[in-house]
Amino acid sequence: MKLYMRIAPELFLKQLIVGGLERVYEIGKQFRNEGIDLTHNPEFTTCEFYMAFADYNDLMKMTEDMLSGMVKELTGGYKIKYHANGYDKEPIEIDFTPPFRRIEMIGELEKVANLNIPKDLASEEANKYLIDACAKFDVKCPPPQTTARLLDKLVGEFLEVTCVNPTFIINHPEIMSPLAKWHRSNNVLTERFELFINQHELCNAYTELNDPVVQRQRFADQLKDRQSGDDEAMALDETFCNALEYGLAPTGGWGLGIDRLAMLFTDSQNIKEVILFPAMRPQDDPAAVKASLQAENKGD
């Protein structure tokens, strides 16, 4: 048998919602070949849950309550000290006082970077505009330069760096969110949020797409990006689409990186410090060792 290490349990857990388990969660390992640096390890731990009859607004409130409550329980207040720039530098203060800041992805990006992104994000015009914007600001986006990847790089350059205190970046474009439901007041966007703390993503959640026809089309669009060389684009999952045809209740889905949360609460700068047996650099590959050290020093 050909067996695989899993990238994510999401599609399986949503099939359990279809099967009648209206609230389901899992804490477990995932495996992604994204390299090794200060906040990435090929094997990491997440908590994911799926909740029928909830949406992303419910999940934002739950996230605020959970994280601010954890900090209050651990410290007696809502603020923590974190040595974001190394142990030899002064620590920064991260304030978990609810409610957390919320920023609209496209609107805030246009405001901060002085952009006017074409409304039809699936168009060639939008892709060309974003390629030019990345060139203008010297934002690197190696091929394939899909619109989703270009947007992600610009958001990293202009928005994520402002998210020291817990911040929800909300309402991602549909082209960046193949499994999220379209926004109830703007169908070009989705009801999705990512929570960033200390400039790093900690949590990803959305109102789940439960229309099998739209889901198949989204998978087909992702397949085009995959064929152009985007390894992170999703493949078609026919079993999942078949499950949606039986009927997925309105559902909110949520995932959080436990290792990164542990880093914050233990004042650890390297994800290896909170993983018992982390992946290490190969000893017999000097070039890999040098590249990995450079990445860690830069915090890439």
Side-chain angles (χ1 to χ4, degrees):
M1 292 175 63
K2 183 178 284 189
L3 303 175
Y4 300 88
M5 290 189 288
R6 67 179 184 174
I7 298 172
E10 177 172 354
L11 301 188
F12 302 105
L13 296 179
K14 281 192 279 194
Q15 288 175 63
L16 293 177
I17 300 283
V18 172
L21 291 175
E22 293 186 349
R23 296 192 181 194
V24 60
Y25 80 95
E26 181 174 347
I27 296 175
K29 295 292 185 183
Q30 297 186 37
F31 305 88
R32 297 183 190 174
N33 189 16
E34 296 176 343
I36 301 172
D37 62 27
L38 291 177
T39 61
H40 289 86
N41 191 70
E43 173 188 315
F44 59 101
T45 307
T46 66
C47 174
E48 289 200 20
F49 74 76
Y50 295 84
M51 179 178 176
F53 310 110
D55 64 16
Y56 81 139
N57 293 305
D58 300 313
L59 302 185
M60 272 190 272
K61 181 66 169 62
M62 291 174 69
T63 304
E64 285 177 345
D65 290 346
M66 184 186 74
L67 293 181
S68 63
M70 290 174 73
V71 173
K72 187 74 179 289
E73 181 70 22
L74 289 167
T75 68
Y78 287 121
K79 298 176 181 179
I80 65 171
K81 298 289 187 181
Y82 186 76
H83 286 83
N85 303 307
Y87 294 116
D88 58 337
K89 304 289 195 306
E90 282 294 311
I92 63 170
E93 182 178 84
I94 301 177
D95 188 352
F96 284 81
T97 304
F100 298 165
R101 175 181 171 226
R102 302 183 185 189
I103 56 177
E104 291 261 353
M105 176 180 281
I106 297 299
E108 190 72 10
L109 179 61
E110 289 184 321
K111 177 182 172 183
V112 172
N114 193 26
L115 298 173
N116 186 19
I117 301 169
K119 301 306 177 193
D120 183 3
L121 291 169
S123 67
E124 286 294 326
E125 178 192 7
N127 184 259
K128 174 71 165 57
Y129 184 91
L130 293 169
I131 288 173
D132 292 344
C134 283
K136 174 183 176 183
F137 295 113
D138 196 27
V139 174
K140 306 299 182 190
C141 182
Q145 292 184 319
T146 62
T147 300
R149 281 171 51 79
L150 292 161
L151 275 171
D152 184 62
K153 297 298 184 184
L154 287 166
V155 167
E157 179 74 16
F158 290 101
L159 299 189
E160 293 175 15
V161 294
T162 71
C163 303
V164 176
N165 292 332
T167 303
F168 293 119
I169 298 180
I170 66 172
N171 300 343
H172 298 50
E174 179 188 303
I175 57 169
M176 300 179 75
S177 314
L179 298 170
K181 194 163 191 174
W182 58 88
H183 196 282
R184 64 197 72 185
S185 61
N186 184 345
N187 62 10
V188 175
L189 306 178
T190 60
E191 296 193 348
R192 176 184 174 190
F193 70 81
E194 290 178 293
L195 176 67
F196 282 82
I197 304 175
N198 186 38
Q199 304 179 14
H200 295 295
E201 179 194 348
L202 190 76
C203 178
N204 182 30
Y206 36 84
T207 307
E208 300 292 340
L209 177 59
N210 58 353
D211 184 322
V213 175
V214 175
Q215 185 63 80
R216 272 198 177 85
Q217 183 56 53
R218 296 264 193 94
F219 278 144
D221 293 340
Q222 286 283 297
L223 191 58
K224 294 175 187 174
D225 287 348
R226 196 174 183 85
Q227 290 169 343
S228 71
D230 185 356
D231 292 336
E232 295 184 16
M234 295 194 69
L236 171 64
D237 190 311
E238 191 60 40
T239 302
F240 178 65
C241 290
N242 287 339
L244 290 186
E245 290 178 350
Y246 285 92
L248 174 66
T251 298
W254 181 95
L256 176 139
I258 291 177
D259 306 312
R260 287 186 179 178
L261 185 63
M263 288 177 66
L264 282 173
F265 289 168
T266 59
D267 193 15
S268 301
Q269 280 67 61
N270 193 320
I271 196 169
K272 292 195 203 58
E273 296 176 43
V274 297
I275 298 176
L276 292 176
F277 297 97
M280 305 296 284
R281 308 179 198 98
Q283 289 184 326
D284 57 350
D285 188 346
V289 172
K290 182 179 179 182
S292 184
L293 282 170
Q294 289 174 339
E296 286 195 10
N297 290 335
K298 291 178 182 176
D300 291 342

